[in-house]
Amino acid sequence: MVLKATFKRSFFKTFTWRVFASLDTALLTWFFSGDVVTGLKVGGLEVVTKLIIYFLHERAWRIGWKKQTDDFHHSKRRSLYKAITYRVIGTMDTFLIAWFFTGSAFTGSKVAIAEVFTKIFIYYVHERIWDRQKIGN
């Protein structure tokens, strides 16, 4: 029963994060491009690409590691490395998608750079909200 509750919580938390994160990207793209449709296209495609990237990133971090019980697997250092590598890959993804839809590498750069900062703030707020939720506990 605890496993299902944990899965349910993770599912809802993942879903709400993806909604807010992609909405952030859509709004940033709209702001920098001046076109709401372009913003929606970038945010919409990002939902798909970020889910795939997240899955592959998680799998890649499992390859070559000893057991999940080793010291490094549960270390703060590993979590930091994972966070940094995911943010770098995610930012590159946003840059390429924004560049593709806006036709401007400069606009893509502005969206990608801005999102690094907005995502930190949004992620923090998201974590604080979920820390108070009883869903799946």
Side-chain angles (χ1 to χ4, degrees), residues 61-79 82:
W61 272 93
R62 292 183 58 82
I63 295 171
W65 300 114
K66 298 176 186 175
K67 297 179 180 177
Q68 289 189 7
T69 56
D70 71 348
D71 289 338
F72 182 69
H73 187 82
H74 294 285
S75 71
K76 291 177 183 176
R77 191 176 68 195
R78 180 177 183 269
S79 295
K82 279 183 72 175

Side-chain angles (χ1 to χ4, degrees), residues 9-29 39-58 83 86-87 89-95 97 111-112 115-116 118-120 122-127 130:
R9 181 177 180 81
S10 294
F11 176 81
F12 284 120
K13 191 174 177 183
T14 299
F15 178 78
T16 58
W17 168 249
R18 191 71 264 143
V19 168
F20 287 117
S22 291
L23 182 60
D24 172 59
T25 301
L27 290 171
L28 287 171
T29 305
L40 291 172
K41 287 178 182 178
V42 172
L45 181 57
E46 183 191 69
V47 170
V48 176
T49 60
K50 288 292 196 312
L51 287 172
I52 293 167
I53 288 169
Y54 185 85
F55 177 80
L56 294 174
H57 184 258
E58 282 295 305
Y86 182 75
R87 187 69 264 147
I89 295 165
T91 299
M92 289 182 346
D93 176 63
T94 298
F95 165 71
I97 294 170
V111 173
E115 113 166 337
V116 169
T118 59
K119 292 291 190 289
I120 291 169
I122 293 167
Y123 190 85
Y124 177 81
V125 171
H126 185 259
E127 284 293 304
W130 271 96

